[in-house]
Amino acid sequence: MEGGQYNPRTVEEVFGDFKGRRNGLIKALTTDVEDFYQQCDPASMDLCLLCFTEKENLCLYGLPNEQWEVNLPAEEVPPELPEPALGINFARDGMQEKDWLSLVAVHSDAWLLSVAFYFGSRFGFDKADRKRLFNMINELPTVFEVVTGAAKKQQKEKSSVSNHSSNKSKSNSKPQGLESQEKYPKSQPKDEDEGFDEEEVEEHGETLCGACGENYASDEFWICCDICEKWFHGKCVKITPARAEHIKHYKCPSCTNKRARP
């Protein structure tokens, strides 16, 4: 359900559309999970009748502008774009929240691929274009991998293998991004004579944002949650370096919103 559709026509444009939708879905299932959970309540209160009524089947849409929405499916048949999984709200209360979010993530991955290759088919991508598009998509962790933490685990395992096989003479200097920004709020003393060991350098180079799933970049501000110990882009969780200086113990949106649910 998207108004004013923009249809990408090149491989790069389709990939950009894919990334925007993917980031929106990841945001819904991680940093905005409390809001998403509430919007998927399978029942709604009828104020006139003072009773609960079942909502209609709802879908989770990722939008090209990195936003998300829970909405009814498109009314036109066939729809202008492939539709996401229908009725996610009715599955919510029948399973553990973690399992439900994982299920939504799996269906979201399938939907993202169907939208991307719908554009590829519609605008006549040849075999080489389709292969290039798939390879670009395949370089990113799936929504499921980000939501379940599998992406972070894979990166750590990859980093560990890389560390054991790397040359011992490799430079031991600090990554520029972490040295200049430090870890907020888990800051470390800036001692010029102390550097990260080789394993730490490799690990931070493979760090993924817990919100958008993108890799670490030295020119961006990052912050670490003191509860789940996941790293986030400051922009993804709306924390600036100036604000981080006044935070003693940072809790990410997901940890802040966690509460016991029946």
Side-chain angles (χ1 to χ4, degrees):
M1 295 284 295
E2 302 169 29
Q5 294 260 358
Y6 159 68
N7 292 329
R9 294 175 179 271
T10 67
V11 172
E12 288 71 21
E13 288 177 340
V14 171
F15 180 62
D17 181 89
F18 176 92
K19 285 183 65 177
R21 295 176 189 275
R22 171 183 172 275
N23 289 344
L25 292 169
I26 290 174
K27 190 181 298 182
L29 299 172
T30 55
T31 56
D32 295 349
V33 68
E34 181 73 9
D35 186 20
F36 171 62
Y37 189 91
Q38 291 175 353
Q39 289 192 38
C40 289
D41 190 340
S44 59
M45 183 69 175
D46 189 323
L47 297 179
C48 296
L49 301 176
L50 293 180
C51 62
F52 285 96
T53 58
E54 281 194 347
K55 289 183 179 177
E56 296 185 59
N57 289 302
L58 297 176
C59 302
L60 171 62
Y61 293 87
L63 307 180
N65 62 356
E66 302 190 2
Q67 299 303 310
W68 60 273
E69 67 175 1
V70 173
N71 211 332
L72 296 171
E75 294 182 359
E76 62 266 28
V77 178
E80 185 174 355
L81 289 178
E83 286 289 302
L86 186 66
I88 57 173
N89 47 319
F90 294 116
R92 194 197 73 170
D93 292 345
M95 55 201 310
Q96 293 290 326
E97 179 185 351
K98 181 180 179 181
D99 295 334
W100 176 68
L101 292 174
S102 297
L103 179 65
V104 175
V106 168
H107 283 289
S108 296
D109 282 318
W111 176 68
L112 286 171
L113 287 172
S114 68
V115 171
F117 282 91
Y118 163 81
F119 284 131
S121 178
R122 178 175 177 180
F123 296 112
F125 287 6
D126 59 18
K127 180 178 179 180
D129 287 337
R130 293 193 302 271
K131 183 176 181 179
R132 186 155 63 95
L133 175 60
F134 177 79
N135 288 339
M136 293 168 75
I137 291 173
N138 204 36
E139 286 299 310
L140 297 174
T142 64
V143 176
F144 175 80
E145 289 171 339
V146 173
V147 170
T148 61
K152 188 175 181 181
K153 182 180 179 181
Q154 290 172 6
Q155 291 291 351
K156 282 187 175 181
E157 291 174 351
K158 179 180 177 182
S159 176
S160 177
V161 171
S162 175
N163 289 336
H164 287 300
S165 62
S166 61
N167 194 322
K168 295 295 181 181
S169 63
K170 186 182 291 183
S171 171
N172 211 22
S173 61
K174 286 185 180 181
Q176 293 181 356
L178 291 181
E179 181 178 10
S180 60
Q181 298 167 0
E182 298 192 353
K183 300 180 180 181
Y184 291 101
K186 292 184 176 180
S187 60
Q188 295 186 352
K190 290 178 71 175
D191 186 343
E192 295 300 329
D193 296 326
E194 268 186 45
F196 287 112
D197 61 27
E198 184 176 297
E199 184 173 349
E200 289 175 316
V201 172
E202 292 292 333
E203 181 179 348
H204 293 306
E206 298 291 348
T207 299
L208 298 176
C209 175
C212 69
E214 297 292 334
N215 286 84
Y216 167 81
S218 61
D219 59 346
E220 296 178 305
F221 168 69
W222 284 59
I223 187 167
C224 182
C225 174
D226 285 289
I227 306 301
C228 64
E229 297 188 346
K230 289 183 179 180
W231 285 90
F232 299 87
H233 289 109
K235 64 182 181 181
C236 289
V237 291
K238 299 180 174 62
I239 299 292
T240 63
R243 182 180 174 189
E245 290 180 356
H246 302 286
I247 301 176
K248 291 184 179 180
H249 299 287
Y250 174 68
K251 291 173 67 176
C252 69
S254 181
C255 290
T256 300
N257 292 329
K258 274 184 179 176
R259 57 185 176 84
R261 294 192 176 99

